[in-house]
Amino acid sequence: MEMITLRRSDILAMIKEALSEYFRPVSYFIGFFDKTISLEERYKELKIQQVNMRIWSRVVQKAVCFNQGEYLQYAFLTAEKHKKLKDSFRETPEDGTRIGALASELVNYINSKFYEDAYENFKFIHAYFENRSCRKLRVCIKGNFNVDNHSKVISVFRDAHVSYDSDADVEKNYGFLTIYKNGTYFLENNIPEAAAEDRYFNPRLDNDLVKQFLSGASGAHAKKWEDCWTGDKEDKSSFYKSTLIIPMTLWNNDLSEEFKKLVNLENVDRTIFGFLCFDHVEADYFDEENDVALGYVFADILSMYIFARLIYMESSKTFNFIEDCLQGKGIEINPESLSSIWKNMPQTFDVEKYLEFKPKTTKNNSLFPMDEDLIRYVKSQVGWH
């Protein structure tokens, strides 16, 4: 048998390939074989990545724990308020004042609780990105509305006030249009370059001015990046260079035919309920692999709240019928203003303290008995005793 001699470079190449296949992220390990990177630099990078992974796991853990309790309350109390409205209308349909008050109570609870819980989830997102840059990213939820036979994307909730109107037709914003066409997330980490090449458009951004700005030609109207945008020039965070948009959908779920039939929404498995949007003033801000994954975690969480609203309001035949009856009596359902809720929301928070997790201990515990139907079902299975 012929003896095969391997050079040192061949061995290192094989090790790198193996690491690429079995370890993630591979850059940690490959760096140790790269003589252009010192061990000190690689060690610092490893420490940073360890911190980031620890924050990632803490953010997800806290978010899941928070939303477990909040969503259960949201869904349960919404159902109870809807039932109360339905029962009251059945018993005394002529009492428009009472019915109107109960309808307003339902709507105000659904609106305010959704916003409060969305805002808390925004804080988890900010905690995840805390060490990425000295400049904060922006987060918002946007929804689809039909205006004059056009699909319009409007801002529903934001993590901070803005000085401009960002509402736009879907076809006039490249990010939302792309998602509408292909059904997946949209990421652009270099908006100036993409806009200059007409690979990105936004109703607030003038692509011709972007080209002037990047050319640096004398006499150009756009001397600075913010000159390419409309809006208040003092609001520096609104002139972003990176954006990530995650659709809120049920696309990745196996929905039963019974569910799709009863939910009273055509093509529910292909419906976009809204968008979770991120943007930042720096280019190359987002990490596609990790940030998209986290974005989907929160988009999926928030979509559950939106779907609960859908069930008990837009898709509820009972609610729509009652609303029509109230309008016939000249009674309007008056939702509270978001500004009244906003005043009570904290604008700053301590990330470390916010992500701190200490399981509560108590001696006053009780065991909840499992229902007999489930016990009989389980005991009926061979080998499950």
Side-chain angles (χ1 to χ4, degrees), residues 354-369:
Y354 191 69
L355 294 181
E356 189 177 63
F357 178 68
K358 291 183 179 180
K360 296 180 180 179
T361 59
T362 176
K363 296 180 181 179
N364 303 316
N365 303 307
S366 61
L367 296 176
F368 187 82

Side-chain angles (χ1 to χ4, degrees), residues 121-292:
N121 280 285
F122 287 174
K123 289 165 69 175
F124 289 124
I125 292 170
H126 277 286
Y128 167 74
F129 285 101
E130 176 70 13
N131 298 318
R132 185 76 58 90
S133 169
C134 61
R135 301 288 298 274
K136 299 287 186 182
L137 89 159
R138 303 189 310 168
V139 188
C140 76
I141 295 173
K142 297 201 174 192
N144 313 292
F145 289 85
N146 290 323
V147 180
D148 298 329
N149 295 321
H150 286 283
S151 292
K152 205 175 190 69
V153 176
I154 77 164
S155 297
V156 180
F157 295 144
R158 286 186 175 273
D159 59 347
H161 289 297
V162 297
S163 58
Y164 58 88
D165 181 4
S166 63
D167 301 349
D169 293 341
V170 169
E171 61 269 18
K172 293 183 179 180
N173 186 300
Y174 187 73
F176 300 117
L177 180 61
T178 301
I179 292 175
Y180 176 70
K181 287 183 174 180
N182 64 26
T184 190
Y185 68 92
F186 175 80
L187 172 64
E188 179 52 65
N189 255 335
N190 194 330
I191 290 177
E193 181 180 284
E197 298 174 359
D198 292 322
R199 292 185 291 103
Y200 177 84
F201 48 84
N202 182 313
R204 291 182 49 238
L205 185 65
D206 188 322
N207 283 15
D208 290 332
L209 290 178
V210 174
K211 295 171 185 176
Q212 291 181 27
F213 165 70
L214 292 182
S215 70
S218 60
H221 294 291
K223 301 292 186 182
K224 296 180 292 186
W225 172 237
E226 52 261 41
D227 294 335
C228 304
W229 294 79
T230 61
D232 182 5
K233 303 304 181 184
E234 297 301 318
D235 185 7
K236 302 299 183 184
S237 63
S238 66
F239 311 123
Y240 50 90
K241 295 181 179 178
S242 298
T243 185
L244 171 63
I245 307 173
I246 308 290
M248 297 180 181
T249 70
L250 295 174
W251 293 349
N252 298 316
N253 295 277
D254 184 14
L255 304 180
S256 70
E257 291 303 317
E258 181 182 16
F259 172 82
K260 289 189 284 188
K261 182 179 179 180
L262 294 176
V263 77
N264 193 29
L265 181 66
E266 186 178 359
N267 298 324
V268 63
D269 53 342
R270 300 304 306 165
T271 298
I272 300 174
F273 299 106
F275 305 92
L276 180 59
C277 309
F278 312 83
D279 60 58
H280 196 269
V281 294
E282 297 175 4
D284 299 316
Y285 179 78
F286 296 105
D287 176 275
E288 184 166 12
E289 184 174 9
N290 294 317
D291 297 350
V292 169

Side-chain angles (χ1 to χ4, degrees), residues 62-73 117-118 120-121 124 298 301-302 304-305:
K62 287 281 288 187
V64 170
C65 181
F66 169 80
N67 286 286
Q68 177 198 31
E70 291 302 308
Y71 180 73
L72 286 175
Q73 294 179 76
D117 290 342
E120 287 300 312
N121 280 285
F124 289 124
F298 284 98
I301 287 174
L302 291 168
M304 295 192 301
Y305 292 88

Side-chain angles (χ1 to χ4, degrees), residues 89 91-97 99 329:
F89 183 77
E91 295 167 2
T92 57
E94 71 281 356
D95 191 351
T97 301
I99 302 301
K329 296 176 182 291

